[in-house]
Amino acid sequence: MLRIGLTGGIGAGKTTVAQLFRERGVPVVDADRVAREVVEPGMPALAALAHEFGPAVLDADGGLNRAELASRAFADQAHTDALNAIMHPAIAARSRELFASYERSSIVVHDVPLLVENDLAPDYQLSVLVDVPADIRLERLVAGRGLDPADAQARIARQADDETRRAVCDIHLDNAGDLSRVTDAFGKIFDLRLSPFAENLRLGLAAARGPVELRPRSWPAETARTVARIRRATARLGLSGIEPSGPGAVADLPALDLMEFHLRVDRPADPRLEVALEQAGFVPAPGDWSDDWEDGTPVEALRRFASADPGRPTVLYVGEPGSRAFDFAVWLRELLRSDAAERASFAGQLAEIADEHAGADDWGGFVEDCAPLILPAYRSRFRAERSRPSGD
């Protein structure tokens, strides 16, 4: 399934967007509701809270006295840690149960108010932000919910700021206007990105790319999100390095609309890698890429994965530590970043090749014609290594 994290600051109208998902038949796991469920009478977490903080945290009916719990649990950091040690595992376990119950759904949304604050965005293939500036949210909390202005401002200040949320989330839904505006924007995003993404994952297909076209590229925020997502998904599989590569990793260098990464993995053939990368939104791409172009004979075959997300074409090249391809990709990126003459020469030759393939939907011919541009740099990078005496 496509797992989507949904978040937004207090007063942003996240509930409205969650309902739009439900109207499309998408199940929504509500983190706030789960947090209430796990402390209902008879639940193990409620008993654990009473044992840790005393029977006074229970009301006369055996339910949770939230005000009393708050006064005790937030008295100091040690008590807060004890609260989290009880609540977080209980919430996580119940959330897993709910996700498992929706295993036949192609898309499942996790509505998480503190997704950014708790560093949860890398757990999802996409994160959606209900985006409303803080000053408008403050007005809504005061006028719509009747909160005291100072209290409303304090609640906003305790959460992540607008800039941080936007950097962490992949999709920003502007909900500062009327309902029709956010509804229309949601419909377009759902039809053009979310639904195709889910279908690509189901079929194991890479997202279609646009036509061959070069434009200045640099994706610092998207790069950071992709790296975090891959690291989280492969945390137990010996990922020893991940580097953005290709022209798109060089600011202001014209490139295709494609992010590229080289991954160093201890065991590239490990079947668990494919499962892990699917959790990050990637599927296996056909064909192996050689790690040695010198005579056309592969020294090492690199596994390739491509994003199933039509909103962000991305390719991963996966090899073992010590891979020449990894070494070369990083070396070339740094050369183009640091040497203006090399960058200008590379850009000019790349533009000529792109002109010959302009508008083509199939990038195969363009990539093939780029080999003569890359090969001299590759040979230059490893010339000294090849010239060493065999006994050294």
Side-chain angles (χ1 to χ4, degrees):
M1 66 176 70
L2 172 62
R3 293 169 297 104
I4 296 173
L6 174 65
T7 196
I10 183 172
K14 187 164 48 64
T15 301
T16 298
V17 175
Q19 182 57 31
L20 293 176
F21 274 108
R22 292 188 179 99
E23 291 172 3
R24 293 274 185 152
V26 176
V28 177
V29 177
D30 186 328
D32 283 343
R33 183 176 298 176
V34 169
R36 293 191 296 270
E37 285 181 6
V38 300
V39 292
E40 290 178 351
M43 299 298 287
L46 181 60
L49 290 174
H51 180 269
E52 177 69 32
F53 297 102
V57 300
L58 302 179
D59 59 27
D61 298 324
L64 180 64
N65 183 331
R66 296 181 183 278
E68 183 64 27
L69 175 64
S71 69
R72 296 178 181 222
F74 298 116
D76 54 48
Q77 188 59 48
H79 285 84
T80 301
D81 290 343
L83 172 68
N84 291 338
I86 294 170
M87 293 299 294
H88 289 179
I91 291 170
R94 178 55 180 156
S95 298
R96 286 193 297 270
E97 290 177 359
L98 290 171
F99 271 94
S101 71
Y102 298 130
E103 63 181 1
R104 294 185 179 276
S105 299
S106 60
I107 303 174
V108 177
V109 170
H110 198 185
D111 181 343
V112 188
L114 299 181
L115 178 145
V116 174
E117 292 82 351
N118 291 332
D119 189 30
L120 299 177
D123 293 336
Y124 310 95
Q125 287 118 331
L126 279 177
S127 293
V128 176
L129 170 66
V130 184
D131 192 18
V132 178
D135 58 340
I136 297 177
R137 290 190 283 117
L138 178 61
E139 292 176 8
R140 289 180 178 178
L141 292 174
V142 174
R145 299 191 192 180
L147 294 183
D148 175 77
D151 180 28
Q153 183 63 61
R155 295 190 188 196
I156 290 173
R158 285 196 293 268
Q159 296 184 340
D161 59 37
D162 295 337
E163 183 178 351
T164 300
R165 283 199 190 89
R166 289 166 187 155
V168 169
C169 294
D170 304 281
I171 295 173
H172 306 161
L173 270 174
D174 183 356
N175 194 28
D178 56 32
L179 179 60
S180 62
R181 189 164 127 191
V182 71
T183 300
D184 289 345
F186 173 85
K188 291 177 182 177
I189 289 171
F190 190 91
D191 292 339
L192 298 178
R193 185 170 186 181
L194 304 186
S195 183
F197 192 173
E199 182 69 358
N200 286 340
L201 283 176
R202 186 181 73 83
L203 298 175
L205 296 176
R209 301 170 182 173
V212 172
E213 179 187 8
L214 296 184
R215 288 188 290 169
R217 304 287 182 186
S218 183
W219 304 278
E222 287 180 282
T223 295
R225 291 196 295 270
T226 301
V227 168
R229 193 168 281 135
I230 292 170
R231 287 192 182 280
R232 185 70 55 85
T234 60
R236 299 180 181 179
L237 297 182
L239 179 71
S240 57
I242 175 171
E243 292 278 355
S245 58
V250 182
D252 301 324
L253 179 65
L256 297 173
D257 188 20
L258 176 71
M259 290 204 304
E260 299 176 85
F261 295 87
H262 277 70
L263 278 64
R264 286 188 295 202
V265 179
D266 292 341
R267 295 176 299 277
D270 189 334
R272 296 177 301 167
L273 180 63
E274 188 171 317
V275 176
L277 288 177
E278 183 179 0
Q279 298 302 308
F282 293 88
V283 298
D288 293 327
W289 280 43
S290 170
D291 191 16
D292 191 326
W293 299 338
E294 185 63 25
D295 59 4
T297 302
V299 170
E300 172 194 4
L302 298 180
R303 297 190 69 184
R304 287 199 302 155
F305 292 81
S307 176
D309 178 9
R312 169 43 54 220
T314 307
V315 173
L316 311 178
Y317 305 98
V318 183
E320 296 179 355
S323 160
R324 275 187 169 186
F326 190 103
D327 182 303
F328 174 69
V330 175
W331 175 82
L332 180 60
R333 182 196 66 198
E334 294 307 306
L335 175 67
L336 295 176
R337 285 177 174 177
S338 62
D339 191 319
E342 289 284 355
R343 186 166 60 249
S345 175
F346 186 93
Q349 296 177 72
L350 193 65
E352 291 181 5
I353 298 169
D355 286 343
E356 297 176 5
H357 298 272
D361 292 326
D362 183 358
W363 291 7
F366 170 79
V367 172
E368 184 176 346
D369 286 352
C370 285
L373 171 59
I374 303 296
L375 184 54
Y378 184 89
R379 287 173 172 161
S380 174
R381 172 69 183 92
F382 295 109
R383 181 177 296 118
E385 178 181 313
R386 291 196 307 275
S387 64
R388 291 181 188 142
S390 59
D392 289 356

